[in-house]
Amino acid sequence: ARVAVPPNSVIKAADRIFSPMLDRCILNSIQNRVLNNLRVILLPPLISGEIRLNEAEKQLEAALA
């Protein structure tokens, strides 16, 4: 079977365009996972009154620093 392969110039141009998008998708996925974990950790104590909002904000800032 034959496979069409674009010229190197087209491959390089596509890489320049799509590589930053892929990098951003990966970064967004990592940030989403971190934020979800923080929500899982902080939400129950906030709802129960175990910690106050300003304490949670300090923990969030420390985790994201």
Side-chain angles (χ1 to χ4, degrees):
R2 291 184 162 196
V3 176
V5 178
N8 280 340
S9 61
V10 173
I11 293 172
K12 288 178 183 180
D15 184 56
R16 278 193 306 273
I17 293 168
F18 294 117
S19 186
M21 290 181 203
L22 180 58
D23 291 344
R24 187 64 192 174
C25 286
I26 293 168
L27 180 61
N28 286 346
S29 179
I30 292 168
Q31 289 176 338
N32 185 48
R33 200 169 311 135
V34 168
L35 290 171
N36 185 56
N37 289 340
L38 287 170
R39 179 185 55 84
V40 168
I41 292 168
L42 293 175
L43 190 58
L46 279 169
I47 291 174
S48 70
E50 184 179 328
I51 62 173
R52 305 208 34 97
L53 183 58
N54 59 354
E55 294 169 17
E57 287 173 340
K58 289 177 187 175
Q59 290 181 15
L60 178 60
E61 288 173 4
L64 294 177

